[in-house]
Amino acid sequence: MKKLIATIAMILMVSTLIPSWAAANVGINEKYGVPIVVYGGNLSEDEKASVAESLSVEEEAEVEEIEVTGEDLVTYIKDGDARARMFSSAKITRKDEGEGLVIQIVTPDNITQVTTEMYANAMLTAGIENATVEVAAPKPVTGHSALVGIYKAYEVNGEQLDPERTDVANDELEVATELAEDVDEAKVSELLTEIKKQIAEQNPASREDVEQIVEEQLSKLQIELSPEDRQLLIDLMDRIRQLDIDFSQWSTQLEDLSKTIEDKIGTIVNDEGFWNSVKEFFRNLANTVRSWFN
């Protein structure tokens, strides 16, 4: 009996130390409306059901469900292909001002190119702030179409996005995934964020000023790019410079994103061995409890 009491006490103690990922459902948010789930338009019914399960749709008090297609791609991206196949999907929950962007890829094995930080960077460029966004796909895909779905969700929710900004944001995502073929993904996100922070702080007046900022950050972060990739990056950042953005407000969001990326690069919490040890602990604990009844 003493052993039973001690083990139960240990379980209770551990449970208080572990974050509560499944917060109590507080019902419908009357300020911002229900979460919007955007399904890739090329999903089969079985794939759509799989995505809905991954996004925990049934756990919501209520959701609005829409689809994103190649036609939407043309709406938000100048050179978009209406025949594009769309599989990656997302659930968007708007939050209060100041809460920032929280991005989670809930099927990480199936989103093969775009990282959470890449999504966050592109969303800020597009003018989307203060939301929790969960991304999922039923099979391996690059993850690009989820961004278009996020645009559509915001407009369904009554927001008017600047098409120039959404086009540049898509360009940013393309450049980020291309750079990540030769540079670590986290370093690519760090590079993009730091360059954008400097653009916000320095307010460069010309392409030459932007080029200097890019060169400084490449040197600071010790990143080597080919001449072609370097040119892609400069072209992108010069487009960002010319956007109608309140850079004074942008700085805070970029600072938060920068901190997140730094933590990701420097932490060991994302180490697979760490999580395997956590799983092993609970597996052993379950076996111990099971043995009492056998």
Side-chain angles (χ1 to χ4, degrees):
M1 180 57 70
K2 288 182 179 179
K3 181 179 179 181
L4 174 61
I5 293 172
T7 304
I8 291 174
M10 180 176 67
I11 293 172
L12 292 174
M13 180 183 69
V14 170
S15 68
T16 64
L17 297 176
I18 297 175
S20 177
W21 290 295
N25 195 321
V26 295
I28 296 172
N29 186 324
E30 295 180 306
K31 184 176 180 181
Y32 294 117
V34 300
I36 296 181
V37 179
V38 190
Y39 296 104
N42 293 101
L43 295 174
S44 68
E45 287 303 313
D46 286 345
E47 288 172 335
K48 185 175 177 180
S50 172
V51 166
E53 182 178 357
S54 296
L55 294 174
S56 303
V57 172
E58 289 187 358
E59 295 179 14
E60 300 290 345
E62 188 177 329
V63 299
E64 182 172 357
E65 297 178 293
I66 61 176
E67 288 189 350
V68 62
T69 67
E71 294 294 335
D72 297 305
L73 194 67
V74 175
T75 300
Y76 301 108
I77 299 169
K78 291 178 181 177
D79 297 323
D81 185 354
R83 299 169 299 174
R85 294 174 63 77
M86 318 288 272
F87 293 98
S88 52
S89 308
K91 181 172 73 175
I92 300 92
T93 307
R94 294 178 62 196
K95 299 293 185 180
D96 286 324
E97 183 74 25
E99 291 196 28
L101 288 171
V102 177
I103 317 294
Q104 182 184 11
I105 299 175
V106 297
T107 57
D109 291 340
N110 289 340
I111 303 296
T112 62
Q113 286 191 352
V114 186
T115 67
T116 56
E117 293 80 21
M118 290 178 189
Y119 280 124
N121 249 317
M123 288 170 65
L124 287 177
T125 298
I128 296 173
E129 304 174 4
N130 305 306
T132 295
V133 179
E134 298 163 80
V135 180
K139 56 189 175 185
V141 295
T142 60
H144 289 77
S145 67
L147 187 62
V148 179
I150 293 166
Y151 298 158
K152 185 172 183 178
Y154 261 72
E155 297 220 323
V156 165
N157 224 341
E159 297 282 347
Q160 187 66 43
L161 298 176
D162 180 347
E164 181 66 22
R165 289 185 66 167
T166 59
D167 187 61
V168 174
N170 182 75
D171 190 13
E172 179 176 346
L173 202 61
E174 293 288 346
V175 170
T177 53
E178 183 161 338
L179 296 183
E181 294 178 5
D182 299 310
V183 181
D184 179 76
E185 294 170 342
K187 294 293 289 183
V188 169
S189 294
E190 184 180 26
L191 173 64
L192 295 177
T193 304
E194 293 304 315
I195 293 173
K196 287 158 73 175
K197 281 171 60 180
Q198 292 305 311
I199 290 175
E201 292 172 10
Q202 299 182 31
N203 192 23
S206 67
R207 179 184 176 86
E208 289 72 25
D209 294 337
V210 170
E211 186 170 357
Q212 182 175 344
I213 290 173
V214 169
E215 296 293 346
E216 288 172 353
Q217 293 306 311
L218 285 171
S219 176
K220 176 183 174 183
L221 297 174
Q222 298 181 331
I223 295 175
E224 293 288 338
L225 296 180
S226 68
E228 295 78 14
D229 285 345
R230 190 179 298 254
Q231 196 60 53
L232 279 177
L233 184 58
I234 293 169
D235 290 345
L236 168 66
M237 291 303 167
D238 192 50
R239 287 191 71 191
I240 288 177
R241 172 186 70 87
Q242 298 176 62
L243 291 174
D244 182 18
I245 293 177
D246 183 349
F247 286 111
S248 63
Q249 293 187 1
W250 220 34
S251 295
T252 301
Q253 296 271 353
L254 288 168
E255 190 64 42
D256 291 343
L257 179 57
S258 178
K259 182 65 168 60
T260 299
I261 295 169
E262 288 174 4
D263 289 345
K264 183 172 184 178
I265 292 174
T267 190
I268 62 169
V269 172
N270 289 323
D271 185 355
E272 183 178 354
F274 171 81
W275 290 111
N276 285 338
S277 66
V278 172
K279 293 176 184 177
E280 185 65 23
F281 167 78
F282 282 104
R283 188 181 298 114
N284 292 337
L285 182 60
N287 289 336
T288 299
V289 174
R290 193 178 298 114
S291 70
W292 298 339
F293 300 97
N294 293 333

